Short mmCIF file of all heavy atoms in Angstrom, two decimals:
data_model
loop_
_atom_site.label_atom_id
_atom_site.label_comp_id
_atom_site.label_asym_id
_atom_site.label_seq_id
_atom_site.Cartn_x
_atom_site.Cartn_y
_atom_site.Cartn_z
N ARG A 2 132.19 -57.20 68.31
CA ARG A 2 131.01 -56.41 68.38
C ARG A 2 131.10 -55.28 69.44
O ARG A 2 130.61 -54.18 69.20
CB ARG A 2 129.85 -57.37 68.81
CG ARG A 2 128.47 -56.83 68.86
CD ARG A 2 127.34 -57.85 68.77
NE ARG A 2 127.54 -58.90 69.76
CZ ARG A 2 127.92 -60.12 69.32
NH1 ARG A 2 128.06 -60.40 68.07
NH2 ARG A 2 128.15 -61.07 70.30
N SER A 3 131.67 -55.54 70.59
CA SER A 3 131.89 -54.53 71.58
C SER A 3 132.78 -53.37 71.10
O SER A 3 132.53 -52.24 71.42
CB SER A 3 132.51 -55.19 72.83
OG SER A 3 131.66 -56.09 73.38
N PHE A 4 133.86 -53.81 70.41
CA PHE A 4 134.79 -52.76 69.83
C PHE A 4 134.03 -51.85 68.85
O PHE A 4 134.19 -50.63 68.91
CB PHE A 4 135.90 -53.43 69.17
CG PHE A 4 136.89 -52.49 68.59
CD1 PHE A 4 137.85 -51.92 69.34
CD2 PHE A 4 136.95 -52.36 67.22
CE1 PHE A 4 138.81 -51.00 68.71
CE2 PHE A 4 137.84 -51.52 66.59
CZ PHE A 4 138.78 -50.79 67.41
N GLU A 5 133.20 -52.43 68.00
CA GLU A 5 132.49 -51.72 66.98
C GLU A 5 131.48 -50.76 67.70
O GLU A 5 131.26 -49.58 67.31
CB GLU A 5 131.76 -52.64 65.98
CG GLU A 5 132.71 -53.32 65.10
CD GLU A 5 132.07 -54.36 64.20
OE1 GLU A 5 130.88 -54.64 64.43
OE2 GLU A 5 132.76 -54.89 63.29
N GLN A 6 130.78 -51.32 68.74
CA GLN A 6 129.86 -50.48 69.45
C GLN A 6 130.45 -49.37 70.15
O GLN A 6 129.95 -48.26 70.13
CB GLN A 6 129.03 -51.43 70.49
CG GLN A 6 128.13 -52.41 69.82
CD GLN A 6 127.50 -53.37 70.81
OE1 GLN A 6 127.93 -53.38 72.01
NE2 GLN A 6 126.48 -54.10 70.35
N GLU A 7 131.56 -49.60 70.79
CA GLU A 7 132.35 -48.52 71.51
C GLU A 7 132.86 -47.53 70.58
O GLU A 7 132.78 -46.28 70.84
CB GLU A 7 133.52 -49.13 72.22
CG GLU A 7 134.33 -48.16 73.06
CD GLU A 7 133.56 -47.43 74.10
OE1 GLU A 7 132.45 -47.91 74.57
OE2 GLU A 7 133.99 -46.34 74.61
N ASN A 8 133.26 -47.87 69.39
CA ASN A 8 133.77 -46.93 68.40
C ASN A 8 132.57 -46.04 67.92
O ASN A 8 132.74 -44.81 67.74
CB ASN A 8 134.41 -47.65 67.19
CG ASN A 8 135.85 -47.88 67.36
OD1 ASN A 8 136.45 -47.46 68.37
ND2 ASN A 8 136.42 -48.69 66.49
N ALA A 9 131.45 -46.70 67.63
CA ALA A 9 130.25 -45.96 67.22
C ALA A 9 129.83 -44.95 68.26
O ALA A 9 129.43 -43.85 67.99
CB ALA A 9 129.14 -46.96 66.85
N ARG A 10 129.91 -45.41 69.54
CA ARG A 10 129.46 -44.51 70.67
C ARG A 10 130.47 -43.39 70.75
O ARG A 10 129.98 -42.17 71.00
CB ARG A 10 129.45 -45.34 71.95
CG ARG A 10 128.95 -44.55 73.12
CD ARG A 10 128.76 -45.54 74.29
NE ARG A 10 128.32 -44.76 75.47
CZ ARG A 10 129.18 -44.29 76.37
NH1 ARG A 10 130.49 -44.34 76.24
NH2 ARG A 10 128.75 -43.54 77.46
N ARG A 11 131.73 -43.59 70.69
CA ARG A 11 132.73 -42.52 70.75
C ARG A 11 132.53 -41.52 69.59
O ARG A 11 132.65 -40.30 69.75
CB ARG A 11 134.14 -43.09 70.68
CG ARG A 11 134.61 -43.67 71.97
CD ARG A 11 136.11 -43.69 72.10
NE ARG A 11 136.54 -44.10 73.39
CZ ARG A 11 137.80 -43.91 73.80
NH1 ARG A 11 138.73 -43.37 72.92
NH2 ARG A 11 138.24 -44.28 74.99
N GLU A 12 132.20 -42.04 68.37
CA GLU A 12 131.98 -41.09 67.23
C GLU A 12 130.82 -40.22 67.54
O GLU A 12 130.85 -39.05 67.20
CB GLU A 12 131.77 -41.92 66.00
CG GLU A 12 133.08 -42.62 65.49
CD GLU A 12 132.83 -43.51 64.22
OE1 GLU A 12 131.65 -43.45 63.77
OE2 GLU A 12 133.82 -44.07 63.76
N GLU A 13 129.78 -40.82 68.09
CA GLU A 13 128.58 -40.09 68.43
C GLU A 13 128.83 -38.99 69.40
O GLU A 13 128.40 -37.84 69.30
CB GLU A 13 127.49 -40.98 68.97
CG GLU A 13 126.17 -40.31 69.26
CD GLU A 13 125.13 -41.32 69.74
OE1 GLU A 13 125.35 -42.57 69.65
OE2 GLU A 13 124.05 -40.86 70.29
N LEU A 14 129.62 -39.32 70.46
CA LEU A 14 129.98 -38.35 71.50
C LEU A 14 130.90 -37.28 71.03
O LEU A 14 130.76 -36.11 71.34
CB LEU A 14 130.68 -39.03 72.67
CG LEU A 14 129.81 -39.94 73.48
CD1 LEU A 14 130.64 -40.76 74.58
CD2 LEU A 14 128.70 -39.21 74.24
N ALA A 15 131.88 -37.69 70.08
CA ALA A 15 132.67 -36.63 69.42
C ALA A 15 131.90 -35.66 68.58
O ALA A 15 132.21 -34.49 68.56
CB ALA A 15 133.80 -37.36 68.61
N GLU A 16 130.86 -36.19 67.94
CA GLU A 16 130.05 -35.28 67.06
C GLU A 16 129.29 -34.31 67.97
O GLU A 16 129.10 -33.16 67.65
CB GLU A 16 129.11 -36.08 66.23
CG GLU A 16 129.76 -36.88 65.06
CD GLU A 16 128.85 -37.73 64.32
OE1 GLU A 16 127.59 -37.70 64.72
OE2 GLU A 16 129.25 -38.47 63.40
N LYS A 17 128.78 -34.77 69.09
CA LYS A 17 128.02 -34.01 70.04
C LYS A 17 128.99 -32.91 70.62
O LYS A 17 128.58 -31.72 70.82
CB LYS A 17 127.50 -34.84 71.14
CG LYS A 17 126.60 -34.12 72.17
CD LYS A 17 126.12 -35.06 73.18
CE LYS A 17 125.25 -34.29 74.22
NZ LYS A 17 124.69 -35.19 75.29
N LEU A 18 130.22 -33.31 71.01
CA LEU A 18 131.19 -32.38 71.47
C LEU A 18 131.43 -31.23 70.48
O LEU A 18 131.36 -29.99 70.84
CB LEU A 18 132.51 -33.14 71.76
CG LEU A 18 133.66 -32.33 72.42
CD1 LEU A 18 134.61 -33.32 73.11
CD2 LEU A 18 134.42 -31.52 71.42
N ALA A 19 131.64 -31.59 69.23
CA ALA A 19 131.86 -30.59 68.18
C ALA A 19 130.70 -29.66 68.00
O ALA A 19 130.80 -28.42 67.94
CB ALA A 19 132.26 -31.30 66.94
N GLU A 20 129.48 -30.30 67.96
CA GLU A 20 128.26 -29.40 67.83
C GLU A 20 128.14 -28.39 68.98
O GLU A 20 127.83 -27.23 68.68
CB GLU A 20 127.01 -30.33 67.74
CG GLU A 20 126.92 -31.19 66.44
CD GLU A 20 125.78 -32.14 66.48
OE1 GLU A 20 125.05 -32.16 67.52
OE2 GLU A 20 125.61 -32.89 65.47
N ASN A 21 128.26 -28.88 70.20
CA ASN A 21 128.20 -27.98 71.35
C ASN A 21 129.29 -26.91 71.29
O ASN A 21 129.03 -25.75 71.63
CB ASN A 21 128.26 -28.75 72.64
CG ASN A 21 127.07 -29.65 72.83
OD1 ASN A 21 126.01 -29.43 72.29
ND2 ASN A 21 127.21 -30.70 73.66
N GLY A 22 130.49 -27.30 70.90
CA GLY A 22 131.63 -26.35 70.81
C GLY A 22 131.34 -25.22 69.79
O GLY A 22 131.54 -24.06 70.01
N TYR A 23 130.90 -25.66 68.59
CA TYR A 23 130.56 -24.64 67.56
C TYR A 23 129.54 -23.79 67.91
O TYR A 23 129.46 -22.59 67.60
CB TYR A 23 130.20 -25.40 66.16
CG TYR A 23 131.41 -26.24 65.68
CD1 TYR A 23 131.15 -27.39 64.87
CD2 TYR A 23 132.75 -25.82 65.77
CE1 TYR A 23 132.17 -28.15 64.42
CE2 TYR A 23 133.76 -26.59 65.27
CZ TYR A 23 133.45 -27.74 64.60
OH TYR A 23 134.51 -28.55 64.07
N ALA A 24 128.52 -24.36 68.67
CA ALA A 24 127.40 -23.55 69.05
C ALA A 24 127.78 -22.41 70.11
O ALA A 24 127.14 -21.33 70.12
CB ALA A 24 126.29 -24.35 69.57
N LYS A 25 128.74 -22.81 70.90
CA LYS A 25 129.00 -21.91 72.09
C LYS A 25 130.22 -20.96 71.81
O LYS A 25 130.21 -19.79 72.28
CB LYS A 25 129.35 -22.71 73.32
CG LYS A 25 129.57 -21.96 74.61
CD LYS A 25 129.63 -22.83 75.83
CE LYS A 25 129.86 -22.06 77.12
NZ LYS A 25 129.91 -22.86 78.30
N TYR A 26 131.18 -21.46 71.04
CA TYR A 26 132.45 -20.72 70.82
C TYR A 26 132.60 -20.48 69.27
O TYR A 26 132.64 -21.43 68.53
CB TYR A 26 133.60 -21.37 71.35
CG TYR A 26 133.59 -21.71 72.85
CD1 TYR A 26 133.26 -22.99 73.29
CD2 TYR A 26 133.70 -20.80 73.80
CE1 TYR A 26 133.19 -23.28 74.53
CE2 TYR A 26 133.62 -21.10 75.14
CZ TYR A 26 133.34 -22.40 75.52
OH TYR A 26 133.26 -22.69 76.84
N SER A 27 132.73 -19.22 68.95
CA SER A 27 132.89 -18.91 67.48
C SER A 27 134.15 -19.36 66.90
O SER A 27 134.30 -19.73 65.69
CB SER A 27 132.68 -17.40 67.25
OG SER A 27 133.65 -16.70 67.94
N ASP A 28 135.23 -19.50 67.66
CA ASP A 28 136.54 -19.94 67.25
C ASP A 28 136.87 -21.28 67.71
O ASP A 28 138.11 -21.59 67.96
CB ASP A 28 137.63 -18.89 67.74
CG ASP A 28 137.64 -18.71 69.26
OD1 ASP A 28 136.65 -19.13 69.84
OD2 ASP A 28 138.55 -18.08 69.75
N PHE A 29 135.91 -22.12 68.05
CA PHE A 29 136.13 -23.43 68.67
C PHE A 29 137.03 -24.34 67.77
O PHE A 29 137.98 -24.99 68.35
CB PHE A 29 134.76 -24.16 68.90
CG PHE A 29 134.88 -25.46 69.51
CD1 PHE A 29 135.06 -25.63 70.84
CD2 PHE A 29 134.91 -26.68 68.75
CE1 PHE A 29 135.21 -26.88 71.45
CE2 PHE A 29 134.95 -27.83 69.31
CZ PHE A 29 135.16 -28.03 70.68
N GLU A 30 136.82 -24.32 66.52
CA GLU A 30 137.60 -25.20 65.66
C GLU A 30 139.09 -24.77 65.73
O GLU A 30 140.00 -25.70 65.85
CB GLU A 30 137.12 -25.19 64.24
CG GLU A 30 137.87 -26.16 63.34
CD GLU A 30 137.17 -26.25 61.94
OE1 GLU A 30 136.20 -25.45 61.67
OE2 GLU A 30 137.69 -27.00 61.11
N GLU A 31 139.40 -23.57 65.60
CA GLU A 31 140.76 -23.04 65.58
C GLU A 31 141.44 -23.33 66.90
O GLU A 31 142.62 -23.77 66.99
CB GLU A 31 140.84 -21.55 65.22
CG GLU A 31 140.44 -21.18 63.89
CD GLU A 31 138.88 -21.08 63.72
OE1 GLU A 31 138.21 -21.38 64.73
OE2 GLU A 31 138.43 -20.91 62.59
N VAL A 32 140.69 -23.11 68.00
CA VAL A 32 141.30 -23.30 69.33
C VAL A 32 141.56 -24.81 69.54
O VAL A 32 142.61 -25.15 70.11
CB VAL A 32 140.32 -22.79 70.44
CG1 VAL A 32 140.87 -23.20 71.85
CG2 VAL A 32 140.27 -21.27 70.39
N ALA A 33 140.59 -25.67 69.15
CA ALA A 33 140.83 -27.11 69.38
C ALA A 33 141.98 -27.63 68.53
O ALA A 33 142.80 -28.44 68.99
CB ALA A 33 139.51 -27.83 68.97
N GLU A 34 142.15 -27.17 67.32
CA GLU A 34 143.20 -27.60 66.48
C GLU A 34 144.53 -27.09 67.03
O GLU A 34 145.58 -27.76 66.85
CB GLU A 34 142.98 -27.08 65.11
CG GLU A 34 141.86 -27.83 64.30
CD GLU A 34 141.70 -27.31 62.89
OE1 GLU A 34 142.41 -26.28 62.48
OE2 GLU A 34 140.88 -27.85 62.18
N SER A 35 144.63 -25.93 67.62
CA SER A 35 145.82 -25.41 68.12
C SER A 35 146.37 -26.32 69.29
O SER A 35 147.63 -26.47 69.34
CB SER A 35 145.60 -24.01 68.70
OG SER A 35 144.83 -24.01 69.87
N THR A 36 145.52 -26.96 69.96
CA THR A 36 145.97 -27.87 71.02
C THR A 36 146.63 -29.09 70.40
O THR A 36 147.80 -29.53 70.85
CB THR A 36 144.78 -28.40 71.90
OG1 THR A 36 144.07 -27.30 72.43
CG2 THR A 36 145.27 -29.24 73.06
N GLY A 37 145.98 -29.68 69.37
CA GLY A 37 146.71 -30.78 68.76
C GLY A 37 148.02 -30.39 68.07
O GLY A 37 148.94 -31.17 68.13
N ASP A 38 148.12 -29.22 67.44
CA ASP A 38 149.37 -28.85 66.85
C ASP A 38 150.45 -28.62 67.84
O ASP A 38 151.55 -29.04 67.63
CB ASP A 38 149.15 -27.49 66.06
CG ASP A 38 148.17 -27.71 64.86
OD1 ASP A 38 148.06 -28.81 64.39
OD2 ASP A 38 147.63 -26.64 64.45
#
């Protein structure tokens, strides 16, 4: 139950991160993907 709750919470935070990034930076997706690559 704790693992599922933590995963759900992380997914929620990750979505919030992406929303804020897209709203503030026009090239946020490309820049974020470049780090992973």
Side-chain angles (χ1 to χ4, degrees):
R2 185 162 49 250
S3 298
F4 179 77
E5 292 174 350
Q6 290 175 349
E7 181 61 21
N8 275 352
R10 184 169 176 275
R11 281 202 174 195
E12 290 177 2
E13 183 179 347
L14 291 174
E16 291 177 1
K17 182 178 178 181
L18 184 158
E20 290 175 1
N21 292 337
Y23 295 148
K25 186 171 182 178
Y26 305 102
S27 60
D28 57 345
F29 179 79
E30 185 174 3
E31 293 79 2
V32 170
E34 289 180 354
S35 67
T36 305
D38 293 339

